[in-house]
Amino acid sequence: MTSMVEVEKPLVKWDIFCAVVDNYGDIGVTWRLAKQLTNEYQINVTLWVDDLKSFSHILPCLDPKLTSQILHGVKINLWSDPLPVCFNCPDVVIEAFACDLPEHVVQIMYNQHQAYKNKLSNTKAPAWLNLEYLSAETWVEGCHGLPSMQANGLNKNFYFPGFTAKTGGLICEKDTLTKRARWQSNPDCRQQLFDKLGLIGITSSDTVVSVFSYETPALPALCNLWKQSKKPVHALIPKGRSLNCLHSLLPCSITDLKPGQQIKHGQLTLHILPMTDQQGFDELLWSCDFNIVRGEDSFLRAQWAAKPFIWHIYPQEDDYHLVKLDAFLKLYCCDLAEDASKIYKNLNIAFNTGNPQDTQKAWKSLTGTLPELTKNAKQWPINTLNDTDLASRLVQFVKNS
């Protein structure tokens, strides 16, 4: 009797290219995607990044001096010109957020396409995808997945993340909501995190707000309001852009601030946070009563935290970012009562337009609506994900291509 030996198929190989923008936004999204594809789908992922120093802020174990290293199962290569590491044609190439692939890479893909076309190779050119920015705008459904024939004959598809079944979905690891629910059901988790971060003097009845925003006059306006709050307010702020608009509240330059430092003004205490990795950032959002976030990655993580939040969207020309904000707010607030919806929308719009007075007014109105906003925040991830996240849809999209 002859025994059959099963030959294991090689792992599917995907390469993702990311140009770091605003330090953490684009790389935050692509790093989460790379890890999820590796851990949940056993895909062999290589992530090419042009700024390893900024990347190391959210991945402290990364060595910015190395041109190639493997962390969490993902190969991380430096993307420079010329490429310091050889590019071998994978099965899938993703350019994150229209970062434009190196000409050398496109040429190798084209050569593979020609070899297959002329029957000199059994391997097709890689599936080429442009992972676009997230938007809740209605036009996204019509553009998601559309092909774009390049001048050299290669085909590139546009992949649009989004909030509906006709889009590319949202990044969320399969165990995220379960881990978050377990964390929030155990008060010891929050206290242990605060102890780890050197946060002292916070009681269970105090209001705790995480702040990860761009510069805006709306933030000092909120801080001035919090100074006069009826109960203590703790604003947890990492060294970074949020502090650039709070100079009047700081005892020294931003450079001289130290993680763990506390600055008290009336009922408000500013806590200076150390930079953290992505898991630590998630846990921070899970542990706060309210979160102020920016960009795309932290915006999504605030949604999975199931807490009310302000989204400080990245400013664009002609205030187009406000159009994107409005599209999201229409979806997010659709199950809220009219009063709660109006207050929540007003708060986000005022903060994004940098209107101090309107921001303060909207925050004052939050108190009566917080129970409903919190209920909506808890239900939103369940309704939005609908059991299908971006990585799942992306893998299926490639299979169907």
Side-chain angles (χ1 to χ4, degrees):
M1 181 175 179
T2 305
S3 62
M4 297 291 292
V5 178
E6 184 176 342
V7 179
E8 185 177 296
K9 293 182 179 180
L11 292 173
V12 177
K13 188 176 184 299
W14 291 31
D15 280 26
I16 303 174
F17 285 78
C18 176
V20 176
V21 178
D22 185 40
N23 291 331
Y24 317 115
D26 291 9
I27 186 57
V29 173
T30 49
W31 176 231
R32 288 191 192 275
L33 177 60
K35 286 188 296 181
Q36 189 177 2
L37 291 171
T38 299
N39 297 330
E40 296 181 11
Y41 297 92
Q42 291 72 55
I43 292 172
N44 185 3
V45 178
T46 298
L47 178 60
W48 300 80
V49 183
D50 70 341
D51 183 354
L52 295 180
K53 185 176 181 181
S54 291
F55 188 7
S56 68
H57 290 150
I58 63 170
L59 184 60
C61 58
L62 177 73
D63 186 346
K65 298 184 182 67
L66 296 179
T67 57
S68 185
Q69 54 202 294
I70 297 176
L71 296 170
H72 298 274
V74 178
K75 180 181 283 188
I76 300 170
N77 288 343
L78 173 65
W79 172 8
S80 61
D81 186 18
L83 294 179
V85 181
C86 182
F87 172 81
N88 296 308
C89 247
D91 299 290
V92 180
V93 172
I94 296 176
E95 54 180 37
F97 315 115
C99 62
D100 290 329
L101 298 179
E103 291 183 10
H104 172 64
V105 167
V106 175
Q107 184 63 49
I108 291 175
M109 293 164 60
Y110 172 75
N111 292 344
Q112 185 63 53
H113 169 69
Q114 288 297 102
Y116 179 80
K117 183 178 177 182
N118 295 319
K119 299 182 179 180
L120 299 175
S121 171
N122 294 324
T123 305
K124 294 182 179 180
W128 182 4
L129 305 177
N130 178 16
L131 178 65
E132 293 282 355
Y133 286 104
L134 170 64
S135 178
E137 295 169 276
T138 54
W139 61 262
V140 167
E141 290 188 347
C143 293
H144 172 60
L146 287 181
S148 174
M149 184 63 68
Q150 305 300 293
N152 61 6
L154 292 176
N155 188 55
K156 176 166 65 172
N157 287 90
F158 292 95
Y159 194 92
F160 281 86
F163 295 88
T164 67
K166 294 180 180 179
T167 66
L170 304 166
I171 291 181
C172 184
E173 304 82 1
K174 294 186 184 301
D175 61 351
T176 294
L177 301 190
T178 302
K179 287 167 65 175
R180 184 260 300 159
R182 189 184 306 126
W183 177 281
Q184 292 178 340
S185 67
N186 184 358
D188 290 342
C189 292
R190 178 173 118 141
Q191 189 56 53
Q192 288 168 9
L193 176 66
F194 287 178
D195 291 343
K196 178 182 176 183
L197 296 174
L199 305 177
I200 59 175
I202 302 176
T203 69
S204 58
S205 61
D206 295 347
T207 299
V208 183
V209 183
S210 77
V211 181
F212 187 60
S213 68
Y214 302 113
E215 298 85 351
T216 171
L219 184 56
L222 278 181
C223 288
N224 288 328
L225 187 63
W226 292 338
K227 287 192 289 187
Q228 306 163 40
S229 176
K230 291 182 180 179
K231 65 178 185 177
V233 177
H234 300 267
L236 315 184
I237 313 177
K239 290 181 69 171
R241 295 184 64 171
S242 299
L243 291 171
N244 291 340
C245 54
L246 297 178
H247 287 287
S248 63
L249 297 176
L250 303 178
C252 58
S253 68
I254 295 174
T255 305
D256 292 333
L257 291 172
K258 304 296 182 185
Q261 188 170 346
Q262 297 183 15
I263 305 152
K264 288 187 67 69
H265 294 280
Q267 289 284 69
L268 169 65
T269 303
L270 303 177
H271 297 261
I272 306 303
L273 295 178
M275 282 302 299
T276 182
D277 60 13
Q278 289 184 323
Q279 180 61 35
F281 184 68
D282 286 348
E283 292 169 355
L284 178 69
L285 297 179
W286 299 346
S287 302
C288 294
D289 302 298
F290 198 99
N291 296 303
I292 300 176
V293 293
R294 74 187 197 208
E296 181 169 325
D297 182 53
S298 59
F299 165 52
L300 276 178
R301 305 321 282 192
Q303 293 175 56
W304 309 151
K307 297 291 184 73
F309 66 94
I310 291 173
W311 178 25
H312 197 191
I313 190 170
Y314 189 80
Q316 293 179 281
E317 290 185 11
D318 300 323
D319 288 338
Y320 184 69
H321 59 291
L322 298 180
V323 176
K324 296 178 69 173
L325 176 66
D326 180 66
F328 170 71
L329 290 174
K330 284 178 179 176
L331 285 179
Y332 188 79
C333 296
C334 66
D335 291 330
L336 287 172
E338 185 176 351
D339 286 349
S341 174
K342 183 177 180 181
I343 290 169
Y344 185 73
K345 288 179 179 179
N346 287 345
L347 177 61
N348 274 270
I349 292 169
F351 196 92
N352 277 276
T353 55
N355 189 309
Q357 292 75 28
D358 286 354
T359 302
Q360 288 183 334
K361 182 180 178 181
W363 185 268
K364 289 178 183 178
S365 303
L366 272 183
T367 307
T369 62
L370 269 178
E372 186 176 356
L373 289 176
T374 301
K375 180 181 178 182
N376 186 67
K378 289 180 178 179
Q379 188 60 36
W380 171 257
I382 300 170
N383 294 347
T384 307
L385 283 171
N386 195 25
D387 297 325
T388 312
D389 63 286
L390 183 143
S392 301
R393 296 187 193 184
L394 186 58
V395 169
Q396 192 59 49
F397 182 85
V398 169
K399 286 181 179 179
N400 294 339
S401 296

